[in-house]
């Protein structure tokens, strides 16, 4: 196949490209410039898509003997990922920018251009596996459960999966990838993995959002509507948050309170006991299937609401209005805007953006 290898400058994408070359494919490397801040530098494991990353990707491509290009996707990234991130927070939801980047950039904008240029597939260093079936490709968890990234790939459609290549999916551990990189002479063999939000490398999401949307004083309420504090912007709070609330009225039982809800229209934040974070039902209108859609409108599955959360046994209900999921045991600290990915065993069925939640604890409990 003609393969376009997305090379981030990290060890995973470098080894993935190397394996594509070893498999006999015609490989071209590409690094995506997602920021127009040309002087952006990396600090340890914070940040990505920096100058250092571009140079590391180029060195890896040179060692592999493959052509290498840098493509400027900064405008698409700004519109589809950063602007979406800000808008979701302004709407009182908790977005996942990695999901958006995979959906809108790596497997939409990049894949579309790759196909236009005659490539058969895009290769990435994601840890996930593709299994061919009579109904088409299925997306499954990686062999290394600790590194599995199938959750953030749950947004991929059947058409996108048909043009995707994940060489690392069957690798037993990240240690094997690093050892292979060292053996190949790749300089990124021991490079730290990036973490946090790539466009907020210092990790200060609250400060970054304050610069983007400003501050506006509002009230913090308990579940009965009583004012228990104030804040300088509802966008700075997320469901499940405990620290930094600065409440002026202590709880009657003396126990800590947590953010239960963010209401952007009224610029208020609702807090309550930890028990009230338990959610007995989630639902969403925006959904997609990773491969063939389920045959039945009701089915048993597992639902995962965070990249590194444990999957929970659940029952899913699919209608023309969206997907509703009822877990066997209440989920903890679910926020609108999060992505719920549905699994059956290791297979990813699909995903939906959580729009609505139903608490397992009544207000008067």
């Amino acid at each position: 196949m003609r393969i376009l290898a997305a090379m981030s400058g990290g060890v995973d994408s470098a080894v993935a490209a190397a394996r594509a070359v070893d498999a006999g494919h015609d490989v071209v490397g590409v690094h995506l410039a997602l920021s127009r801040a040309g002087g952006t530098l990396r600090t340890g494991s914070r940040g990505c898509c920096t100058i250092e990353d571009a140079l590391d990707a180029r060195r890896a491509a040179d060692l592999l003997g493959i052509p290498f290009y840098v493509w400027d996707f900064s405008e698409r990234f700004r519109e589809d990922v950063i602007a979406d991130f800000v808008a979701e927070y302004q709407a009182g939801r908790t977005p996942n920018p990695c999901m958006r980047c995979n959906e809108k950039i790596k497997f939409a904008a990049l894949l579309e251009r790759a196909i236009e240029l005659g490539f058969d597939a895009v290769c990435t260093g994601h840890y996930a596996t593709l299994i061919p079936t009579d109904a088409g490709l299925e997306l499954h968890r990686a062999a290394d459960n600790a590194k599995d990234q199938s959750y953030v790939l749950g947004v991929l459609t059947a058409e996108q999966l048909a043009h995707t290549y994940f060489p690392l999916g069957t690798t037993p551990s990240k240690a094997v990838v690093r050892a292979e990189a060292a053996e190949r002479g790749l300089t990124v063999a021991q490079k730290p993995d990036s973490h946090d939000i790539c466009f907020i490398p210092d990790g200060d999401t609250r400060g970054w959002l304050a610069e983007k949307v400003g501050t506006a004083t509002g009230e913090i309420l308990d579940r009965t509507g009583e004012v228990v504090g104030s804040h300088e912007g509802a966008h700075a709070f997320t469901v499940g948050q405990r620290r930094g609330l600065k409440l002026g009225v202590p709880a009657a039982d003396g126990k800590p309170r947590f953010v239960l809800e963010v209401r952007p229209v009224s610029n208020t934040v609702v807090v309550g006991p930890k028990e009230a974070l338990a959610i007995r039902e989630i639902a969403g209108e925006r959904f997609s299937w990773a491969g063939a859609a389920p045959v039945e409108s009701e089915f048993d599955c597992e639902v995962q609401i965070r990249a590194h959360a444990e999957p929970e046994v659940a029952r899913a209900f699919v209608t023309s209005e969206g997907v509703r999921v009822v877990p066997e045991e209440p989920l903890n600290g679910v926020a609108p805007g999060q992505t719920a990915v549905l699994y059956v065993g290791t297979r990813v069925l699909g995903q939906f953006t959580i729009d609505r939640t139903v608490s397992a604890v009544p207000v008067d409990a």
Side-chain angles (χ1 to χ4, degrees):
M1 295 190 296
R2 292 196 69 212
I3 298 288
L4 185 67
M7 304 182 71
S8 66
V11 63
D12 293 327
S13 60
V15 171
R19 291 185 180 183
V21 172
D22 288 352
H25 300 300
D26 179 10
V27 181
V28 173
V30 62
H31 178 81
L32 302 185
L34 302 181
S35 171
R36 291 193 173 179
T40 301
L41 300 177
R42 176 182 255 266
T43 303
S45 59
R46 289 188 179 274
C48 71
C49 312
T50 64
I51 286 177
E52 288 94 335
D53 294 318
L55 293 175
D56 285 340
R58 178 175 293 279
R59 280 189 286 266
D62 289 344
L63 182 67
L64 298 175
I66 61 175
F68 177 81
Y69 300 91
V70 176
W71 288 355
D72 183 1
F73 275 30
S74 58
E75 187 61 26
R76 283 290 298 266
F77 187 76
R78 184 188 65 80
E79 294 175 357
D80 294 337
V81 180
I82 298 179
D84 174 81
F85 182 81
V86 174
E88 287 291 279
Y89 264 102
Q90 287 179 305
R93 295 187 288 265
T94 303
N96 186 321
C98 292
M99 301 287 288
R100 270 330 134 246
C101 187
N102 283 333
E103 177 186 19
K104 300 291 188 179
I105 305 299
K106 295 175 183 174
F107 297 98
L110 177 62
L111 183 55
E112 288 166 7
R113 183 178 293 185
I115 292 174
E116 289 174 357
L117 294 174
F119 289 94
D120 299 303
V122 166
C123 165
T124 72
H126 285 99
Y127 287 77
T129 55
L130 293 172
I131 297 178
T133 71
D134 292 340
L137 287 173
E138 292 181 351
L139 177 64
H140 285 253
R141 292 189 185 275
D144 180 5
N145 193 57
K147 291 297 297 180
D148 173 59
Q149 293 175 296
S150 60
Y151 173 86
V152 295
L153 297 169
V155 291
L156 301 189
T157 65
E159 177 64 20
Q160 290 169 330
L161 291 176
H163 297 283
T164 301
Y165 186 42
F166 298 133
L168 304 188
T170 58
T171 307
S173 72
K174 179 64 173 274
V176 171
V177 172
R178 291 196 181 280
E180 180 178 332
E183 185 176 345
R184 291 177 180 274
L186 293 166
T187 60
V188 293
Q190 298 305 319
K191 185 175 180 178
D193 293 336
S194 61
H195 61 77
D196 294 326
I197 300 172
C198 68
F199 52 86
I200 311 178
D202 65 359
D204 182 13
T205 302
R206 176 179 291 196
W208 187 88
L209 283 169
E211 291 182 1
K212 297 295 181 182
V213 303
T215 59
T217 302
E219 296 177 334
I220 300 178
L221 313 175
D222 65 14
R223 299 183 86 196
T224 67
E226 179 184 353
V227 177
V228 295
S230 63
H231 62 77
E232 295 183 352
H235 62 267
F237 296 84
T238 58
V239 172
Q241 179 179 334
R242 172 187 172 185
R243 299 185 182 279
L245 301 183
K246 299 179 182 178
L247 302 179
V249 179
D253 58 8
K255 293 182 179 179
R257 283 176 289 194
F258 298 75
V259 174
L260 304 180
E261 187 180 352
V262 178
R263 299 172 178 171
V265 174
S266 59
N267 192 32
T268 54
V269 175
V270 180
V271 298
K274 184 177 182 180
E275 295 75 19
L277 288 171
I279 298 297
R280 64 178 174 84
E281 184 177 307
I282 58 176
E285 300 175 0
R286 296 168 290 173
F287 67 94
S288 63
W289 303 116
V295 176
E296 304 293 335
S297 60
E298 299 181 17
F299 52 88
D300 292 326
C301 62
E302 296 85 45
V303 61
Q304 187 171 327
I305 59 171
R306 297 181 186 87
H308 302 293
E310 289 294 323
E312 302 289 344
V313 176
R315 181 80 174 168
F317 304 84
V318 183
T319 69
S320 59
E321 298 178 349
V323 180
R324 181 170 63 90
V325 171
V326 180
E328 278 192 1
E329 298 294 332
L331 303 173
N332 185 49
V334 184
Q338 286 180 305
T339 301
V341 176
L342 305 182
Y343 292 82
V344 171
T346 62
R347 183 194 169 190
V348 178
L349 286 182
Q351 60 81 39
F352 65 93
T353 301
I354 300 170
D355 296 322
R356 303 179 302 283
T357 64
V358 179
S359 176
V361 179
V363 174
D364 56 357

